[in-house]
Amino acid sequence: MSGKVDPRTPGEGSTSRTRLDRGRGALGPALELVHTGRAPTRAVLTAELGVTRATAGAVAAELEALGLIRVDARPAAAAGSQGRPSHRLSVAEEGPVVLAAQVHADGFRAALVGLGGRIVATAPGCGTVDADPAEVLGSVVEAGAELLRTTGRRCVGAGLAVPSAVAEPDGLALNPLHLDWPAGAPVRRIFAQCVRAAGITGPAFAANDVNLAALAEHRHGAGRGARDLLCVATGHRGVGGALVLDGRLHTGSSGLALEVGHLTVNPEGRPCHCGSRGCLDVETDPLAFLTAAGRESGPEVSLLRQAEDLVRDHYDDPAVRGAVETLVDRLGLGLAGLVNILNPDRIILGGLHRALLDAAPDRLRAVVAGRSLWGQSGVVPILSCTLDHNSLVGAAELAWQPVLDDPLTALP
């Protein structure tokens, strides 16, 4: 029997396994770093995780073996750089996807979304919404299932964005004000049933569309790097708000926090669905803008599209400019109140509010600064959302979260 030690004896193998065992708890955090673009190289991953280079290498290799990321061991060196470049990390373009669905007042849409917030495929949107939630959700899930059949992609979960507060823990749409759905519709349960009936595996989730837009923007868009991020947006009808604190949505004790649409900004204004008057919901949404501009809404395209086109193409029209200034002043008043209460380090605006900011940025920022204590003491950046279909991407983030928390458990 030879006294030589086999170079492949348990010494080396167990060392590699030990590194991976130590790093298993880091798999989720590592995946989230790559998913959000904060760890483009293995060197950055090592520093962010606070582990050894060898452990970071084992973690990256395991995520690559799971089909979630790609490790480029031979990246090109940057011009003028010295030394060996670090391995580059990116999400796996051919990896698994999740089904994302969104329902709004003017229709619904389904998409497949990969890691990194990449929309892989979308189904043609539907322009009508039935009064029966089960009918609508069955149709949008079937559209997503057809995408999966066509693309052959592996699906690991599903997420749904709806224009309503979604109460926890039961997933009830408490106030789908701009849909004909009954208040308290169990949208999460219905959506999960439709997902299972379509043969789609993985967990199913549902949440408010603006909450999900904020989550997507925080991870992949205009909210990156913010600690306390306030998002306010008006889509097809109504106004919603969301707050992200330390990377997590603040949803309150039962999922109902940040109902900003029902802040009063014009006490003598329009009656609101909630029973009050002059709320942001009815004073700064697309219908309010079209009315203020003296325009009749048409059936050809959505109210949001009509309002955005009017701001972009006819801003020189005195009636349109006046409508922009009116809505900007009311929106600014609402934002100032939120700044006083929440003290965010960044505000992002979506939907028509993004168009209003683009049209009159100085006026909006001046109103917020002039009417808020914290706005006067330090300027709060107000930016436009940058992601197309951010509520869809946010719905996908819901479905990706179990994988980001624990890839080994979430992926069989």
Side-chain angles (χ1 to χ4, degrees), residues 29-115:
L31 181 59
E32 183 163 335
L33 287 167
V34 179
H35 170 63
T36 56
R38 290 178 291 153
T41 68
R42 198 171 70 179
V44 174
L45 183 69
T46 301
E48 289 287 335
L49 293 177
V51 298
T52 66
R53 180 178 173 182
T55 296
V59 167
E62 178 73 1
L63 292 174
E64 186 173 38
L66 289 170
L68 297 172
I69 73 169
R70 179 175 177 269
V71 180
D72 183 358
R74 297 183 179 181
S81 64
Q82 296 181 350
R84 180 180 175 184
S86 179
H87 295 185
R88 294 203 64 80
L89 308 177
S90 60
V91 297
E93 292 187 1
E94 299 303 318
V97 296
V98 296
L99 167 61
Q102 181 183 10
V103 178
H104 51 72
D106 291 315
F108 59 79
R109 180 177 293 275
L112 304 182
V113 183
L115 284 167

Side-chain angles (χ1 to χ4, degrees), residues 28-381:
L31 181 59
E32 183 163 335
L33 287 167
V34 179
H35 170 63
T36 56
R38 290 178 291 153
T41 68
R42 198 171 70 179
V44 174
L45 183 69
T46 301
E48 289 287 335
L49 293 177
V51 298
T52 66
R53 180 178 173 182
T55 296
V59 167
E62 178 73 1
L63 292 174
E64 186 173 38
L66 289 170
L68 297 172
I69 73 169
R70 179 175 177 269
V71 180
D72 183 358
R74 297 183 179 181
S81 64
Q82 296 181 350
R84 180 180 175 184
S86 179
H87 295 185
R88 294 203 64 80
L89 308 177
S90 60
V91 297
E93 292 187 1
E94 299 303 318
V97 296
V98 296
L99 167 61
Q102 181 183 10
V103 178
H104 51 72
D106 291 315
F108 59 79
R109 180 177 293 275
L112 304 182
V113 183
L115 284 167
R118 299 172 302 111
I119 296 180
V120 173
T122 58
C126 175
T128 59
V129 178
D130 193 273
D132 181 0
E135 189 73 26
V136 178
L137 297 182
S139 296
V140 73
V141 169
E142 180 52 39
E146 179 60 26
L147 287 177
L148 289 169
R149 288 190 289 269
T150 301
T151 61
R153 303 295 286 261
R154 176 189 180 195
C155 185
V156 297
L160 169 68
V162 292
S164 168
V166 178
E168 299 295 346
D170 298 321
L172 308 179
L174 290 189
N175 58 343
L177 297 178
H178 303 292
L179 303 176
D180 290 329
W181 291 1
V187 291
R188 182 178 301 152
R189 177 174 59 79
I190 295 171
F191 182 61
Q193 290 172 344
C194 293
V195 166
R196 288 194 297 271
I200 298 172
T201 59
F205 304 90
N208 171 262
D209 52 2
V210 179
N211 275 353
L212 298 180
L215 182 61
E217 292 284 347
H218 185 268
R219 290 182 175 180
H220 307 292
R224 271 182 172 175
R227 180 179 176 186
D228 299 326
L229 174 68
L230 172 64
C231 175
V232 176
T234 176
H236 299 264
R237 291 292 303 276
V239 175
L243 184 65
V244 179
L245 299 177
D246 291 327
R248 299 290 179 182
L249 278 172
H250 173 70
T251 56
S253 61
S254 58
L256 307 180
L258 270 291
E259 276 292 307
V260 306
H262 301 290
L263 288 174
T264 299
V265 294
N266 182 16
E268 304 303 320
R270 298 176 178 85
C272 182
H273 306 276
C274 70
S276 185
R277 300 184 71 90
C279 297
L280 272 177
D281 210 55
V282 292
E283 296 289 337
T284 67
D285 79 341
L287 183 60
F289 176 73
L290 293 170
T291 302
R295 300 299 206 273
E296 293 288 338
S297 60
E300 298 81 11
V301 295
S302 70
L303 291 173
L304 175 60
R305 175 72 177 275
Q306 293 175 61
E308 289 177 330
D309 288 348
L310 197 58
V311 175
R312 184 184 63 249
D313 300 334
H314 300 282
Y315 185 62
D316 290 337
D317 183 323
V320 174
R321 183 184 292 269
V324 168
E325 292 175 352
T326 296
L327 263 72
V328 161
D329 290 349
R330 290 173 183 166
L331 174 61
L333 182 61
L335 293 178
L338 292 168
V339 167
N340 285 335
I341 296 169
L342 302 174
N343 188 27
D345 58 17
R346 192 178 310 175
I347 299 171
I348 58 173
L349 302 179
L352 177 61
H353 292 166
R354 176 171 61 176
L356 296 176
L357 173 63
D358 292 343
D362 293 339
R363 186 183 185 100
L364 180 58
R365 292 180 176 122
V367 173
V368 175
R371 299 297 293 267
S372 63
L373 177 63
W374 308 126
Q376 293 172 2
S377 63
V379 176
V380 180

